[in-house]
Amino acid sequence: MDKAASEFFQNLLHAPTPSGYEQPGQELVMKYLKPYAHEIYKDVHGNVHAVVNPKADYRVMLSGHCDEIGLMVMHIDDKGFLYVATVGGIYVPLLQGERVLVHTAKGAIPGVIGVKPIHLMSAKERESAATKIEDLWIDIGAKDKAEAEEMVELGDVATVDRGVAFYPHDRIVARGLDDRAGVHVVAEALRLASKEKLNVAVHMVSSVQEEIGLRGATTAAFGIDPQVGIAVDVGHATDYPGCNPKMVGEATIGGGPILHRGPNFNPVLYERLVRAAKDARIKVQQQPIQRGSGTDANVIQTTRAGVAAALVSVPCRYMHSSVEMISIKDADNSARIIAKFLTKLKGTEKFIP
């Protein structure tokens, strides 16, 4: 990863991008990709489209979703405490005792998700953490409802206040690697491919609202009408205690990008990606998915009359927590495989199985 790409990735990970509120991250994507794209724009839903070789008739869509899971302020009580709902799939017991940032029109407001001290808990309370989001509250230090309402509005969103950490062996830990890692990959693939002569149009999309129903990729794919679509997301690493590879297939951090097989994915396209990995001398891992994948690939595949779709995943530990972990090398190699695939396309390929 070169210096500019590394800075972009880190800045993106620091930006707040809960589903429907992705604008801070999307502005970074627009700024970073402007020198490499022939066209760049945002659509009405907030998807960022960066296009290389736009006049080509054969269109390839690359999609990584910019949104992350988060919280939304639903109620402010008389004492000034904020009650929230989850935005996307959050395991509620992880939230107790976390620091958060509430993102308002006036800027970020710090808060904490309160927790009763163990000294004051009954024996039964000590045995089980709160499992309902309505039982938790955010304390922003307000003395009452009126003071809280001067700082926060209903509908403001919050994210866990965690930074980016670098660990040995090329590991990075952050909240929201799902799926800002995917945005980094598709942006890097576009940057690398833009240096080569391409026979196809490459439509890179930093999509929105994936965590609440694949909404951004649904409309983006319909508008682009691609012949080929590749989604990039994080995939389940299984190389840590308690994770069962019998459920999702085996994958390790640092073991290479994951290529997926199953009904969501075009088998001809899968083989072309395997070949691209071999040409790039990059080791890959394989995970089958026996149904729709729950990623942008799902809606890309079924847009209009159908699209040859694939999913490339970056192995990730502790998904949907504030301590997600990936290998930067896995992410960069994912981009290299996709770029190699793009440069090999003639624009006449048929992907009918």
Side-chain angles (χ1 to χ4, degrees):
M1 188 188 307
D2 69 13
K3 182 178 179 182
S6 177
E7 289 179 356
F8 161 68
F9 190 20
Q10 291 182 58
N11 289 338
L12 185 61
L13 289 172
H14 283 291
T17 60
S19 301
Y21 294 74
E22 300 91 350
Q23 295 92 329
Q26 295 291 56
E27 292 302 321
L28 294 172
V29 175
M30 292 273 288
K31 182 179 180 181
Y32 175 67
L33 288 178
K34 189 175 181 180
Y36 309 115
H38 298 137
E39 293 180 0
I40 189 163
Y41 61 94
K42 262 199 233 180
D43 64 29
V44 71
H45 283 172
N47 297 303
V48 169
H49 299 247
V51 190
V52 171
N53 200 25
K55 294 183 179 180
D57 293 331
Y58 201 95
R59 296 171 299 282
V60 179
M61 176 178 171
L62 309 178
S63 183
H65 70 87
C66 192
D67 60 311
E68 61 175 315
I69 57 176
L71 303 167
M72 179 178 284
V73 178
M74 305 297 289
H75 174 69
I76 304 173
D77 74 7
D78 291 340
K79 295 182 179 180
F81 296 114
L82 315 181
Y83 288 82
V84 295
T86 59
V87 179
I90 293 179
Y91 182 50
V92 174
L94 293 179
L95 295 174
Q96 293 183 93
E98 284 278 16
R99 296 185 182 191
V100 297
L101 292 173
V102 184
H103 304 283
T104 77
K106 300 175 183 177
I109 304 294
V112 295
I113 297 179
V115 58
K116 184 189 290 188
I118 191 170
H119 319 67
L120 305 180
M121 291 182 182
S122 66
K124 184 176 181 180
E125 286 176 322
R126 293 180 190 180
E127 292 174 1
S128 60
T131 56
K132 295 181 180 179
I133 190 66
E134 57 266 28
D135 293 333
L136 302 184
W137 65 92
I138 295 177
D139 186 344
I140 58 172
K143 66 181 180 181
D144 55 28
K145 183 174 184 177
E147 188 169 280
E149 288 179 334
E150 290 178 2
M151 296 186 282
V152 175
E153 290 186 72
L154 299 181
D156 285 342
V157 290
T159 54
V160 173
D161 188 9
R162 294 287 186 103
V164 179
F166 294 90
Y167 283 50
H169 309 296
D170 207 36
R171 310 295 196 247
I172 185 170
V173 174
R175 69 163 221 284
L177 282 165
D178 180 5
D179 182 39
R180 274 87 65 89
V183 175
H184 161 68
V185 168
V186 294
E188 186 69 357
L190 183 85
R191 184 183 74 85
L192 294 172
S194 70
K195 299 178 180 180
E196 307 294 334
K197 185 180 185 301
L198 294 172
N199 298 311
V200 300
V202 180
H203 291 254
M204 191 231 84
V205 179
S206 178
S207 66
V208 299
Q209 301 185 38
E210 191 267 1
E211 297 290 359
I212 57 171
L214 316 176
R215 295 160 61 84
T218 299
T219 55
F222 188 92
I224 295 167
D225 189 18
Q227 284 86 1
V228 176
I230 301 173
V232 180
D233 214 311
V234 291
H236 292 291
T238 59
D239 56 347
Y240 59 93
C243 198
N244 185 358
K246 295 177 183 178
M247 295 177 63
V248 294
E250 189 171 2
T252 63
I253 286 185
I258 303 170
L259 300 182
H260 298 270
R261 298 181 66 200
N264 191 175
F265 315 117
N266 181 277
V268 182
L269 178 54
Y270 169 82
E271 293 298 335
R272 290 293 296 261
L273 287 170
V274 170
R275 193 183 316 162
K278 289 180 179 178
D279 290 343
R281 297 182 179 180
I282 295 170
K283 180 182 177 182
V284 296
Q285 304 180 85
Q286 184 187 82
Q287 274 187 340
I289 299 177
Q290 78 279 20
R291 57 183 183 278
S293 64
T295 70
D296 283 351
N298 209 25
V299 292
I300 294 172
Q301 181 195 33
T302 57
T303 197
R304 294 184 183 250
V307 175
L311 174 63
V312 178
S313 293
V314 180
C316 178
R317 292 176 182 165
Y318 323 127
M319 203 182 299
H320 279 218
S321 77
S322 59
V323 291
E324 294 175 339
M325 179 187 289
I326 67 166
S327 158
I328 298 173
K329 185 176 180 181
D330 287 341
D332 288 345
N333 280 338
S334 298
R336 289 177 57 206
I337 290 170
I338 294 169
K340 178 68 73 173
F341 166 78
L342 294 171
T343 59
K344 294 286 187 179
L345 288 175
K346 296 179 180 179
T348 57
E349 286 81 3
K350 304 293 184 184
F351 288 93
I352 297 172

